[in-house]
Amino acid sequence: MVSRVRVWLNRTYAENVFFMDQLRRNPSDRAVEIHATHGDADSPVLAAADTADLEPEGLSPAAYVEYALDQCQRRGIDVFVPRMEQAAIVAHRADFEAIGTALLAPTPEAVAVFEDKVIAYEAVQAIGVPVPPWHRVRSADELVAAVEELEDAGHRACFKPASGAGGVGFRVITRSPFSLMHLSGFPTPYVQLDLVVEALEQADETVDWLVMPRLEQPEVSVDCLTGPDNHLRMAIGRTKNGRRRGFTLHEQWLEPARRIAEGFGLHYLSNIQFRMFGDRPVLMDVNTRPAGGLHQLSLCGVNAPWAAVQLALGEDPGEVVPPFLGQDYTVVSGPRPLRAVSLPHQRIEDTAEPLLPAVPAQADSVETAAPAAAAAQALPL
């Protein structure tokens, strides 16, 4: 009898409820139990898990590693998918292996390279992957100089933190004066240059921003699965062009993604994003973790989360090739159940006195993204 697989996701994105669904619906028909932890008691990943804990707040990276090792040992975790404190955790891979837990995460060197976008751009440029023009700025004067240089070259300037994820802090520079026009409709990422300069001059702290041209669509996110032998098992592009989404296997996107994933030790699941600069694709960002939209590959007949877990367990899935490319689609929101307020939750068989009933709460819900097919022509990618 094949034993169950116990997987832990720590403080992850709400959309990874679909990651969890795919693990349970794996093509190997293997029993999977999922442990989840989060700092937010209302995170839907806690409701989707078999067992759940609230994470302690304020831990140093070293203390968080100790917490993670304790969770893995007490919970009998076979595969740990770390997002929170990923850099500290992967530095202690041997400690996790010693207690029987495999880390579904890249090498420490890969995490270090892609934590800082400037270091990342310099590194990938050195291996021949195109990147957009960029300027690192920490002051108002540096910002103005960078914006003027980009505008003189005919580009619209934007900025984002040199480190960060999920588009947090991304803004597009405009020179239009602030007016009622900016207060109509929905909020936008556009910010007035004079207001940004004023904020920087009055701030008591420095910033660390990357200023670059606003890149054009389509955006293509290449989901990669790479083994610890640095051999790529899967590369599938997900295209975004406005609301329209689709898939591509065109080498103009896959070849640079393959070069990055294999060249920097992006083991297991990573997501490498490109956009257009003029008439060629350039690197936009690299995520050293599974993308929130990874589950959308199910529209191509691919269960990437399970293939990654197999790889982490030493059960090589071989080359993962989509049997077909799904039709174009869009993303809509839908409700997901939340747990009752009491946490942590234990499965009935794990404790004689469960702190929370196994039935999820029905009264509350949270909206998360799910793909919906859109009947239309495929993008010419």
Side-chain angles (χ1 to χ4, degrees):
M1 180 178 178
V2 179
S3 62
R4 69 178 182 178
V5 180
R6 192 92 161 113
V7 180
W8 174 26
L9 285 78
N10 74 334
R11 204 174 293 216
T12 191
Y13 301 107
E15 201 171 13
N16 273 334
V17 294
F18 302 117
F19 186 103
M20 299 158 75
D21 290 343
Q22 284 193 285
L23 288 182
R24 293 192 178 100
R25 295 196 300 264
N26 66 81
S28 302
D29 200 26
R30 186 91 171 264
V32 175
E33 290 187 3
I34 299 172
H35 181 54
T37 58
H38 208 285
D40 179 4
D42 288 337
S43 169
V45 299
L46 298 179
D50 297 297
T51 59
D53 281 319
L54 279 175
E55 291 191 0
E57 298 291 346
L59 295 182
S60 68
Y64 193 93
V65 170
E66 291 301 316
Y67 162 77
L69 285 165
D70 179 68
Q71 285 279 313
C72 289
Q73 193 154 33
R74 288 194 302 108
R75 298 287 185 175
I77 300 300
D78 299 300
V79 178
F80 177 20
V81 188
R83 190 199 69 82
M84 182 74 171
E85 296 291 0
Q86 187 189 63
I89 287 165
V90 297
H92 290 267
R93 189 183 300 270
D95 295 331
F96 287 92
E97 290 176 348
I99 61 173
T101 299
L103 295 183
L104 203 155
T107 64
E109 295 78 12
V111 174
V113 167
F114 295 107
E115 276 186 322
D116 186 300
K117 292 179 174 59
V118 170
I119 294 174
Y121 276 12
E122 290 174 341
V124 301
Q125 196 170 23
I127 64 168
V129 175
V131 301
W134 53 269
H135 304 262
R136 190 170 207 160
V137 306
R138 293 186 172 90
S139 67
D141 289 343
E142 290 178 349
L143 173 68
V144 171
V147 170
E148 288 179 346
E149 182 175 327
L150 289 170
E151 289 180 342
D152 288 346
H155 306 302
R156 181 183 289 275
C158 63
F159 66 86
K160 57 185 177 181
S163 61
V168 174
F170 171 79
R171 299 293 187 272
V172 181
I173 293 289
T174 177
R175 290 183 181 267
S176 301
F178 187 78
S179 67
L180 285 177
M181 177 186 72
H182 297 100
L183 299 178
S184 62
F186 294 103
T188 74
Y190 287 87
V191 292
Q192 286 67 38
L193 178 61
D194 57 337
L195 297 182
V196 180
V197 169
E198 181 181 356
L200 287 173
E201 291 174 341
Q202 294 179 355
D204 295 328
E205 56 188 274
T206 60
V207 297
D208 188 8
W209 289 343
L210 203 65
V211 178
M212 55 193 293
R214 186 177 187 185
L215 302 175
E216 300 301 321
Q217 294 183 326
E219 177 181 324
V220 176
S221 294
V222 182
D223 293 307
C224 296
L225 175 63
T226 310
D229 57 0
N230 288 333
H231 176 64
L232 194 75
R233 306 304 199 275
M234 179 194 80
I236 304 172
R238 290 183 287 113
T239 65
K240 303 177 185 179
N241 203 335
R243 179 170 284 185
R244 180 173 298 278
R245 311 292 178 91
F247 303 99
T248 180
L249 295 177
H250 198 293
E251 281 296 310
Q252 71 173 336
W253 312 104
L254 269 54
E255 190 277 331
R258 183 182 300 112
R259 199 182 309 177
I260 292 170
E262 293 184 339
F264 291 98
L266 285 173
H267 298 167
Y268 303 104
L269 290 168
S270 61
N271 178 257
I272 303 173
Q273 302 170 359
F274 301 90
R275 274 200 175 215
M276 298 298 294
F277 180 62
D279 58 357
R280 67 172 182 167
V282 294
L283 179 69
M284 184 170 70
D285 209 352
V286 175
N287 293 313
T288 61
R289 53 168 175 78
L294 180 69
H295 65 281
Q296 293 161 12
L297 296 185
S298 64
L299 297 177
C300 298
V302 171
N303 188 326
W306 179 245
V309 166
Q310 284 184 295
L311 196 55
L313 292 172
E315 305 166 4
D316 197 329
E319 189 175 2
V320 180
V321 179
F324 54 86
L325 291 184
Q327 71 180 88
D328 283 9
Y329 63 102
T330 190
V331 172
V332 296
S333 60
R336 296 288 299 204
L338 297 182
R339 287 202 186 281
V341 174
S342 300
L343 276 174
H345 166 56
Q346 309 288 336
R347 289 177 63 86
I348 298 293
E349 61 266 29
D350 288 343
T351 177
E353 296 180 2
L355 300 180
L356 192 69
V359 178
Q362 300 297 318
D364 300 317
S365 66
V366 64
E367 290 190 344
T368 52
Q377 296 297 317
L379 290 173
L381 297 171

